[in-house]
Amino acid sequence: MRFWLARLFGTVANQMLMVALAWQMYDVTGSAWDLGLVGLFQFAPQLAMTLPAGHVVDRLHRGSIFAACMVAQSLAAMLLWFAISGQFATRELILGVSVIFGVARAFQLPAQQAITPLLVPQFLLVRAIALSTSSVQAAVICGPALGGVLYTFGPEVVYASGAVLLLLAFVLTLFVRYTHVPTHVANTLRSIFAGVSFVWAHKALLGAMSLDLFAVLLGGATALLPIYARDILQVGPVGLGLLRAAPAVGALLMSLALTRWPLQRKVGLRMLSCVAVFGVCMVVFGLSTNFVVSLAALAISGAADNVGVVIRLTLMQLETPDEMRGRVAAVNTIFIGASNQLGEFESGATAALFGPVGSVVLGGVGTLLVAVGWIWLFPALSKRDRMVRSS
């Protein structure tokens, strides 16, 4: 329960800070390209550090690593808070802080993913993952909405609140107890890249991870939400918070449904179908000029995406031995980072070329094509019937 609360507080804080960071960057520069750079400056260090981080997670106490990441992000939030007060919150500082968040998340995500199987018995793992994603999605709902409301009182209020929540997450994590059995693999490149080799050898897992990567990379529109909120839908920072929260509302409802009714059969086809639904929703969102329609499209996209998240995480935990979980989770983190942070850069770059509407619509169409293509490229995934493979 303590770790559940720590993840909840940490995710709420992170979502609040991302809303403030994006809105402040757009206020400072008014540039879609710079909005994309915020994502790129988080992704680049995360990409460089994640595989070594997975190796560290398998050797050291995972709870301590997670706690250290909470402290690092809290200090970054405090720096932004002081920058606003001292009137030196420049474009360059925002990009520099984005790097700090990227490095911290490189260690945070593998650590938190590798802890979960140690806290619950295997027969409860599917429900535990669904419940865990529901708490994260609840935080993703509250975080952006709270961040948008607090931003009306000034960005420094958001940064201060985020710093406090991250410190609370740090304290809670210090009281998480589990049996830590470190792996004693050598510090070699082969060991660091062992997670990559493992995922490559398990085609259903590779297909699930890469499907999520390309779907969100092409179809995600998070980086462009400030443009939609201010220029297209004209709903201001509060509306921006609601737009960012809408996918999480759908994901939360789907998580609760999956907790009550776990996926049993045809999990591969269900995942591919939900990716196709996600692509359709992004086309609708891209073309919409109605705030309610836009919120509905984002909510449905979040519900569809959450099915893939639960399937991917469950397959990863069930098929990976504990001594490899940190390194395999690190590979998954790279896929997540590429789909989210690099996707934000892709959105900003294509929006600079084709406009925000063209960027989102083209991305949604691309996601549909990926869903169809993965049926042929990864038959092990499309034919996967149950979470646990038959003997």
Side-chain angles (χ1 to χ4, degrees):
M1 188 62 180
R2 295 186 186 96
F3 188 65
W4 186 87
L5 286 173
R7 286 190 64 178
L8 181 68
F9 290 152
T11 306
V12 167
N14 187 262
Q15 293 298 314
M16 289 170 55
L17 295 172
M18 291 306 100
V19 168
L21 210 62
W23 193 270
Q24 188 176 0
M25 177 62 89
Y26 198 53
D27 268 345
V28 171
T29 69
S31 168
W33 173 260
D34 285 335
L35 281 176
L37 286 180
V38 172
L40 180 63
F41 273 62
Q42 290 181 58
F43 171 71
Q46 186 171 331
L47 176 64
M49 296 299 299
T50 296
L51 289 181
H55 184 75
V56 172
V57 167
D58 279 336
R59 293 178 65 89
L60 303 181
H61 191 278
R62 294 162 185 172
S64 299
I65 294 172
F66 182 86
C69 293
M70 294 298 99
V71 171
Q73 292 177 84
S74 179
L75 292 174
M78 291 179 187
L79 175 59
L80 290 167
W81 177 16
F82 294 140
I84 295 293
S85 303
Q87 297 183 342
F88 58 91
T90 62
R91 170 182 179 271
E92 289 70 26
L93 178 65
I94 294 173
L95 293 177
V97 170
S98 297
V99 172
I100 297 174
F101 283 124
V103 173
R105 287 178 65 81
F107 287 85
Q108 174 192 336
L109 294 179
Q112 71 184 30
Q113 290 173 25
I115 287 176
T116 302
L118 301 176
L119 302 179
V120 297
Q122 181 172 314
F123 72 92
L124 290 177
L125 187 59
V126 176
R127 282 188 168 91
I129 289 175
L131 182 62
S132 177
T133 58
S134 70
S135 67
V136 170
Q137 297 304 336
V140 174
I141 293 169
C142 298
L146 182 59
V149 171
L150 292 178
Y151 197 94
T152 61
F153 298 98
E156 66 274 17
V157 178
V158 185
Y159 298 139
S161 302
V164 171
L165 286 173
L166 287 163
L167 288 176
L168 285 174
F170 161 72
V171 172
L172 285 167
T173 307
L174 295 180
F175 292 96
V176 174
R177 298 287 183 267
Y178 69 90
T179 302
H180 172 57
V181 182
T183 181
H184 296 290
V185 295
N187 291 315
T188 64
L189 282 177
R190 182 177 181 180
S191 172
I192 291 173
F193 282 89
V196 176
S197 301
F198 184 90
V199 172
W200 183 262
H202 292 73
K203 298 304 181 185
L205 189 56
L206 175 63
M209 287 186 180
S210 57
L211 178 65
D212 181 78
L213 184 155
F214 283 102
V216 180
L217 174 65
L218 295 173
T222 303
L224 303 181
L225 291 183
I227 298 176
Y228 270 84
R230 193 169 83 172
D231 300 335
I232 297 176
L233 301 173
Q234 299 180 355
V235 290
V238 174
L240 172 61
L242 293 175
L243 288 172
R244 286 191 65 115
V249 172
L252 173 60
L253 295 176
M254 181 59 72
S255 294
L256 295 175
L258 293 176
T259 302
R260 177 63 180 85
W261 299 286
L263 293 167
Q264 300 290 343
R265 305 294 301 273
K266 299 181 179 179
V267 295
L269 283 177
R270 290 177 188 273
M271 185 176 189
L272 290 162
S273 299
C274 286
V275 168
V277 171
F278 178 85
V280 171
C281 289
M282 298 318 299
V283 172
V284 172
F285 172 76
L287 296 173
S288 172
T289 57
N290 181 283
F291 185 53
V292 175
V293 172
S294 298
L295 285 175
L298 290 174
I300 296 172
S301 75
D305 181 59
N306 188 257
V307 174
V309 170
V310 171
I311 292 174
R312 171 169 48 83
L313 290 179
T314 304
L315 288 176
M316 183 181 74
Q317 302 294 10
L318 288 175
E319 299 207 355
T320 308
D322 182 63
E323 65 271 12
M324 285 284 297
R325 282 197 174 111
R327 284 165 287 176
V328 172
V331 177
N332 185 53
T333 298
I334 290 177
F335 280 82
I336 294 172
S339 62
N340 292 326
Q341 277 77 49
L342 192 57
E344 290 181 13
F345 174 70
E346 178 271 337
S347 295
T350 55
L353 292 173
F354 306 111
V357 174
S359 173
V360 175
V361 172
L362 286 173
V365 172
T367 301
L368 284 168
L369 295 176
V370 166
V372 173
W374 256 236
I375 297 175
W376 174 69
L377 287 173
F378 293 95
L381 175 63
S382 61
K383 295 177 182 178
R384 184 70 175 248
D385 185 37
R386 297 180 182 273
M387 292 290 192
V388 180
R389 286 184 294 185
S390 302
S391 301

